[in-house]
Amino acid sequence: MMSDLKTFWNYIKIELRHSYEYPLNFFVRIFWVCITLIPMYFLWNIIFSQNNATGYNIITILLYLAFSYGLGVWGSIANDIRGEIITGDIVKILVRNISLDKYFFMKIFSKLIEGIIFSLPILIILGFIFVGIQSLQGIILYFLGMILVTIIYSILITTSFWFGNNWGFFYSFGMSMSILSGAIFPLDLYPEYLRFIVDYLPFKLIIFVPAKAYIGEYNITLWLLITYAFWIALFYILLKILIKYGTERYEQLGG
Amino acid sequence: MLNTLKIIFKNELRRQWEYKSNFISAIIVQIIFVLMLLTFILVIYSQVPDIKGWNIYDLIIYVLIVDSSYMLFSALGLWFDRDITHGTLNHFLVKPITEFVFYINFSIIDILFVLMNIIVLISCYFSFDYNSTAFSIIFAIIYFILTWPLLLLPIFIIRTLAFWFGEIWEIEQMFRMTISSFERIPIIVLQRIFFIVFIIITPIGYLNWYMSAAVLLNKVTYVYALEMLAIAIISEIVLYIIFIKLYKKGLKKYEGFGG
C-alpha cells in the first residue's frame, strides 16, 4: 500500500513538473475560462431579464460555469495510455510488478491533477468569497467524481485491446460526457425529456452534483456518498473484467 | 502549380483510403459535436423564446454557418509554423513553385464535412420556412465567401510569429478560444463596450459569422450589409499586407537544415 502511494506521488510529481515546463499553459487555461464566461455573462443576463424562474441568479450560474469550465479537464487525459496499447508499449507495464488498473488510475488521476492545479485554488477562493465554507463540499465531491472519471476512462482504454486505434470513440465519449455531466449547462435547466435521460446516468456525479454543492445548493449526505461508492464499485468491477479478458487476447512483442 | 495541387490532393485521397476507420471515427465525432451544439441551443431556448431577436431556428442556422466556416478552415488552412520550429521549411523553399502550395492542409475528411454541413444548412433553411428571395440567398453566400479570410489571416499572422518566438501554439490557442466563445451565441449578446473590443480582436465573429447569418435571415438591410462588407474587405487587405510583410521578414531570419 505504501509503495503504491509512493508510486502514485511520483506520477503526480512528474505531471506537475511537466506543467511547470510549460507555464504558458496556465495562462491558456485561465484565459479560456475567462473568455468563455464573458459571453455567458451577457447571455444569462438576457435570459434572467425574461425569465426569473430558472432557480439560478447571475452569481450562481457564473460560479457553476466557472467550476465546470475550470475543472472539467478530461478532454485528452487518456490519449497517452491508449497510445501505449496501440504501439505495444503497455507490455513494459504488464511485465512489471504493478497491476494495469493501478497503472491506469495513477496515470490518469495524476494528469487530472495537473489539469486542475492552477484553476482549483482560484475556484476555492471564489467559493469562499461568494458561497462560504460549504463550497468546499463541492470540491470534495469533485474528487470523488474524478475517481469515477478515471475508472470510466480506464474502461475506455481497455477497449483498445479489441478495437485498436479508436480515437473517434474517445472524443465522442468525452463530448457526450460534457452533455450528460452538466459541463455545458446545469442539468436541472435541461428540457424535461432530456433531464429524464441524464437523471438515471452516473455522469451527473462528475460535474453537476459537485458544482451544485459548490454553489451551496447540495449538501453531502450519506445517500449521496453511497451513490458515488456504488457507481465507483460497479465500474471498477467492469474494469477488472475487461482488463482480464483484454490482456488475455493481447499480442505484442516485448519492449 | 495546378498540377502540384492535383498531386497533393490525390495523395491525401490515397492516404485517407488507407485509414478508412479514421473517416468513420470522424463522422461519429462530428455527429456528437452537432448533438452537443443542439443541446446547448435547446437548453437556452427552453428558458426564453428569443435572444435579442434571434429565435431557436435562427440560432441553428447561425451555428451551422459558424461550423462551415471552421470546417473550411480545417480543410484548407495553411500549416507552416511546425515547419518553421522544426527547421524543415526549407524543404519547400527550394521547390520551383511557391511554398504556400505545400502548406495547404487539403483534409479530405474536412472537405466532406463542409459539404455535409452545407447540405444540412440548406435543408434546415428551407424546412424552417424563411421567406428569403433568391437574391438574398446568393448575396449571403457571396458575403460569407468574401469575409471568410477574416478567420484565416489573423491565424496566419500568429503562425508567422513562429519565425521569432518558436512555439506559438499557446497564442494561437488563445485567439481560437476568443473566437470560439461566439461559435454558439451571436456576438450581439455583448454590451457595447465588450462588443467593440471583441470586434477589434476577432472581426470574424461579427463580419463573417453574424453578418452572413443576418443577411441570409433578412435581419439587416442591404445597405448596412454592404457597408460591413466594405469594412471586412479593407480589414482583409490590411491583414494580408501585415501577413506578407511579416512572412517575408521572418523568412530572412529563418535558419533550417537541408532535407
Side-chain angles (χ1 to χ4, degrees):
Chain A
M1 179 68 183
M2 279 310 285
S3 72
D4 283 346
L5 280 175
K6 208 176 155 194
T7 318
F8 185 34
W9 177 237
N10 283 335
Y11 271 110
I12 293 175
K13 273 201 303 196
I14 292 166
E15 288 302 333
L16 290 183
R17 207 174 297 146
H18 183 253
S19 70
Y20 291 134
E21 276 171 20
Y22 298 96
L24 258 181
N25 277 348
F26 159 70
F27 292 105
V28 173
R29 277 188 190 132
I30 301 296
F31 180 82
W32 181 74
V33 174
C34 298
I35 205 78
T36 319
L37 283 179
I38 291 171
M40 282 296 159
Y41 168 78
F42 290 106
L43 175 73
W44 283 99
N45 258 330
I46 293 169
I47 293 173
F48 292 137
S49 68
Q50 295 180 46
N51 176 8
N52 50 16
T54 56
Y56 290 85
N57 59 42
I58 196 72
I59 300 283
T60 52
I61 195 78
L62 286 180
L63 275 178
Y64 181 100
L65 294 175
F67 183 92
S68 151
Y69 297 163
L71 303 182
V73 289
W74 53 77
S76 56
I77 45 165
N79 273 347
D80 296 0
I81 315 174
R82 191 172 58 85
E84 283 176 27
I85 294 180
I86 300 158
T87 57
D89 285 350
I90 201 81
V91 174
K92 291 177 200 160
I93 305 300
L94 288 171
V95 294
R96 274 188 213 161
N97 190 20
I98 181 170
S99 62
L100 266 191
D101 53 324
K102 273 184 194 160
Y103 173 69
F104 290 162
F105 185 86
M106 287 175 186
K107 203 133 187 216
I108 297 174
F109 207 86
S110 51
K111 269 222 174 286
L112 286 171
I113 291 191
E114 190 247 327
I116 60 164
I117 196 73
F118 297 116
S119 33
L120 187 64
I122 297 172
L123 283 165
I124 290 175
I125 294 167
L126 285 177
F128 266 114
I129 295 170
F130 291 106
V131 183
I133 189 92
Q134 67 264 44
S135 66
L136 278 181
Q137 292 185 80
I139 306 292
I140 295 166
L141 290 177
Y142 170 77
F143 278 101
L144 288 177
M146 282 304 105
I147 295 174
L148 197 59
V149 170
T150 307
I151 299 172
I152 291 171
Y153 265 95
S154 301
I155 290 172
L156 289 185
I157 289 166
T158 54
T159 60
S160 299
F161 283 123
W162 285 272
F163 304 113
N165 189 6
N166 49 355
W167 68 269
F169 182 53
F170 264 75
Y171 276 98
S172 312
F173 192 85
M175 284 194 281
S176 309
M177 210 154 82
S178 297
I179 302 171
L180 302 170
S181 66
I184 304 174
F185 279 134
L187 296 178
D188 49 2
L189 293 180
Y190 279 31
E192 202 62 49
Y193 52 93
L194 283 178
R195 213 182 309 165
F196 178 77
I197 303 166
V198 293
D199 255 357
Y200 292 97
L201 294 170
F203 304 109
K204 66 176 182 181
L205 299 172
I206 296 165
I207 289 290
F208 177 69
V209 173
K212 287 288 265 188
Y214 176 71
I215 59 173
E217 290 184 11
Y218 270 15
N219 283 319
I220 297 178
T221 58
L222 183 63
W223 178 246
L224 190 59
L225 293 176
I226 291 171
T227 315
Y228 271 98
F230 168 76
W231 284 109
I232 288 171
L234 187 76
F235 281 123
Y236 184 67
I237 292 166
L238 183 63
L239 173 67
K240 277 290 207 189
I241 294 168
L242 286 172
I243 286 178
K244 183 177 181 291
Y245 288 106
T247 46
E248 267 175 22
R249 76 183 295 281
Y250 188 57
E251 284 179 344
Q252 276 295 346
L253 293 171
Chain B
M1 193 169 102
L2 268 177
N3 208 25
T4 315
L5 282 174
K6 218 168 91 182
I7 293 166
I8 295 172
F9 190 76
K10 250 164 103 178
N11 279 341
E12 164 68 9
L13 202 66
R14 207 171 295 148
R15 197 171 67 85
Q16 288 302 339
W17 191 248
E18 289 282 314
Y19 299 100
K20 286 185 275 293
S21 63
N22 253 359
F23 180 65
I24 296 161
S25 295
I27 289 178
I28 297 168
V29 170
Q30 186 59 17
I31 291 169
I32 302 283
F33 179 72
V34 171
L35 283 178
M36 205 165 96
L37 287 178
L38 277 178
T39 309
F40 180 92
I41 294 171
L42 283 172
V43 172
I44 293 285
Y45 285 98
S46 65
Q47 306 299 322
V48 282
D50 78 285
I51 295 161
K52 287 205 168 176
W54 287 65
N55 63 28
I56 187 164
Y57 305 110
D58 299 341
L59 202 68
I60 289 173
I61 297 288
Y62 172 82
V63 164
L64 286 168
I65 286 175
V66 175
D67 208 23
S68 305
S69 172
Y70 264 133
M71 294 264 170
L72 209 54
F73 174 72
S74 311
L76 303 172
L78 302 183
W79 298 87
F80 52 87
D81 49 310
R82 273 171 294 190
D83 289 305
I84 296 170
T85 47
H86 294 171
T88 50
L89 194 75
N90 36 334
H91 294 187
F92 310 122
L93 296 175
V94 292
K95 303 263 163 77
I97 55 169
T98 171
E99 66 272 23
F100 286 94
V101 173
F102 300 100
Y103 302 157
I104 299 173
N105 194 21
F106 263 139
S107 162
I108 298 286
I109 291 180
D110 288 325
I111 290 171
L112 280 173
F113 281 153
V114 172
L115 294 175
M116 273 165 57
N117 231 37
I118 291 169
I119 293 167
V120 174
L121 181 60
I122 292 169
S123 324
C124 285
Y125 183 75
F126 285 107
S127 60
F128 293 161
D129 232 9
Y130 286 109
N131 292 321
S132 297
T133 58
F135 176 75
S136 63
I137 295 171
I138 293 165
F139 185 57
I141 293 167
I142 294 170
Y143 198 101
F144 176 82
I145 294 166
L146 288 177
T147 54
W148 179 69
L150 285 173
L151 177 62
L152 293 180
L153 290 165
I155 292 178
F156 290 172
I157 290 171
I158 291 169
R159 286 182 185 170
T160 319
L161 297 179
F163 282 118
W164 290 272
F165 303 110
E167 289 287 341
I168 40 82
W169 182 86
E170 284 92 355
I171 304 170
E172 186 175 329
Q173 274 300 99
M174 284 162 115
F175 177 76
R176 281 171 177 246
M177 284 166 183
T178 311
I179 54 174
S180 69
S181 47
F182 299 102
E183 65 186 13
R184 298 172 196 173
I185 323 158
I187 196 165
I188 47 156
V189 296
L190 296 181
Q191 274 171 0
R192 195 168 175 79
I193 183 79
F194 280 93
F195 183 69
I196 293 166
V197 169
F198 272 89
I199 285 183
I200 294 167
I201 304 171
T202 61
I204 180 85
Y206 187 68
L207 294 173
N208 180 251
W209 296 348
Y210 170 77
M211 282 302 294
S212 300
V215 167
L216 186 66
L217 304 173
N218 289 325
K219 286 187 185 289
V220 286
T221 62
Y222 286 120
V223 177
Y224 182 72
L226 284 171
E227 278 170 18
M228 290 301 114
L229 185 61
I231 292 173
I233 290 170
I234 292 166
S235 312
E236 282 166 7
I237 293 167
V238 172
L239 288 171
Y240 179 75
I241 292 168
I242 295 172
F243 166 59
I244 291 295
K245 286 222 179 263
L246 274 177
Y247 184 81
K248 281 184 179 164
K249 269 202 169 170
L251 266 189
K252 280 184 192 157
K253 199 184 170 295
Y254 170 74
E255 283 176 344
F257 53 86

